[in-house]
Amino acid sequence: MVEAYGIADEDAFATGLTCGGRLQVFVQPMGGEYFPEFAEVAAAVDRDVPVAIATGIGAGFTSPARRLVWPAGALGSLGCPELDAAVDDDARGLLAQGVSGTREYGPRGERVLTERTVFVHSLAAPPRMLIFGAIDFAAAAARIGRFLGYRVTVCDARARFASHKRFPDADEVVVDWPHRYLARTEVDDRTVICVLTHDAKFDVPLLTLALRTRAGYVGAMGSRRTHVDRLAQLRKAGLTERELGRLHSPIGLDLGARTPEKTAVSIAAELVQHRWGGTGRSLMTTDGPIHRAAAGH
């Protein structure tokens, strides 16, 4: 069932709102005879396995029309194989981003038509933030990373620095050489890698590996001189200019930050800007829509 709610701009102020708008809400029963696949969804969530629930809404579907989509595999049908295949593609794309939304198709999955509306509900584990370097800046970055909804891991080879006591906001604290830990860690295009070690013996092997992963963001701390030296060493290690072009260094936006906390805000600002395609400029100097689709999607 889809219900629409809204209020006109001219009526909003009288009801205590600052502006008008329109909202559509999709509601469906969970469990029981109506949703026999619910146990499959619950099991996937329990195991941190990403799963999307694709439900046909509105005209053209025999209720309930539902398909569960995993990164590999699917269950159920929305009516025909062609539509199922198109929905599987789009659902996996949404699942990779960790977002939900509606998609429209023709009766046989034609993307140029709008006769069938499918709501895709993505159930995915939080994206990961991997912070390398157990320093004060890492503690502040872990705090703001958790606030932004990341599952945060702090890694450092030095056991006396890498402890849960020093990083209470991290979900995980790992004692290992950074490049060795990254080599055995799952990375996807939502993963954020922050290299704060500021030490070539850690940075170069770590960044050599990180810039060849699927990570959506790779940033490294250091001065401009450190950045130039680091690039030279990474070129010697065999990285291409295209791979080096993925590196955000010096890390963060230019906010004039100096303290660990303010530097963490600078890093967080760059993460949001990179993810959503903002300019990084003050909104008072820009025009057009304030909110936009995620960059690259």
Side-chain angles (χ1 to χ4, degrees):
M1 177 177 67
V2 179
E3 292 289 345
Y5 302 89
I7 187 169
D9 283 340
E10 55 271 22
D11 299 325
F13 186 74
T15 61
L17 298 174
T18 55
C19 64
R22 185 173 175 79
L23 177 70
Q24 283 190 310
V25 179
F26 171 55
V27 181
Q28 65 174 327
M30 303 295 277
E33 292 182 8
Y34 183 84
F35 200 154
E37 311 91 344
F38 181 72
E40 300 273 357
V41 175
V45 171
D46 230 21
R47 300 193 309 269
D48 276 342
V49 175
V51 60
I53 307 170
T55 307
I57 57 178
F61 290 104
T62 302
S63 183
R66 187 184 302 107
R67 186 167 172 84
L68 306 186
V69 183
W70 290 271
L75 174 68
S77 178
L78 293 165
C80 75
E82 296 88 351
L83 178 57
D84 288 343
V87 170
D88 288 357
D89 258 0
D90 291 343
R92 289 187 179 115
L94 290 168
L95 199 53
Q97 300 171 51
V99 298
S100 302
T102 56
R103 293 292 183 268
E104 294 183 329
Y105 308 90
R108 295 194 172 274
E110 304 94 331
R111 288 183 170 85
V112 294
L113 302 178
T114 60
E115 298 167 52
R116 303 284 189 276
T117 300
V118 177
F119 175 68
V120 179
H121 183 191
S122 293
L123 296 166
R128 298 191 68 192
M129 174 183 280
L130 307 179
I131 301 173
F132 295 96
I135 62 175
D136 290 345
F137 288 90
R143 195 174 309 127
I144 205 163
R146 187 168 188 176
F147 174 76
L148 291 176
Y150 290 96
R151 177 176 174 79
V152 179
T153 297
V154 175
C155 175
D156 197 294
R158 302 163 295 183
R160 62 180 174 171
F161 296 124
S163 68
H164 284 284
K165 185 176 180 180
R166 291 193 66 223
F167 299 97
D169 294 295
D171 295 283
E172 181 183 33
V173 179
V174 175
V175 178
D176 201 348
W177 278 77
H179 71 284
R180 191 164 61 191
Y181 173 72
L182 183 60
R184 60 182 171 84
T185 299
E186 186 175 345
V187 171
D188 62 27
D189 54 10
R190 295 191 299 150
T191 303
V192 165
I193 298 175
C194 297
V195 179
L196 310 183
T197 45
H198 203 194
D199 185 330
K201 71 175 178 288
F202 294 121
D203 290 359
V204 174
L206 173 59
L207 287 170
T208 299
L209 182 58
L211 292 169
R212 288 171 172 166
T213 67
R214 295 172 53 208
Y217 174 94
V218 180
M221 178 176 280
S223 66
R224 297 197 186 279
R225 180 176 175 178
T226 297
H227 173 63
V228 171
D229 292 343
R230 186 190 284 136
L231 287 180
Q233 293 181 67
L234 290 171
R235 288 189 181 99
K236 278 187 183 179
L239 267 73
T240 66
E241 294 305 310
R242 182 176 181 180
E243 288 167 338
L244 292 174
R246 298 185 60 213
L247 179 60
H248 294 259
S249 174
I251 196 170
L253 293 188
D254 180 13
L255 303 182
R258 294 178 182 270
T259 66
E261 290 74 19
K262 289 171 184 173
T263 300
V265 171
S266 165
I267 294 170
E270 185 170 57
L271 290 177
V272 174
Q273 186 257 344
H274 177 70
R275 175 70 177 83
W276 294 99
T279 64
R281 294 161 50 199
S282 169
L283 284 172
M284 67 182 291
T285 68
T286 65
D287 52 23
I290 293 175
H291 305 292
R292 62 191 78 194
H297 302 287

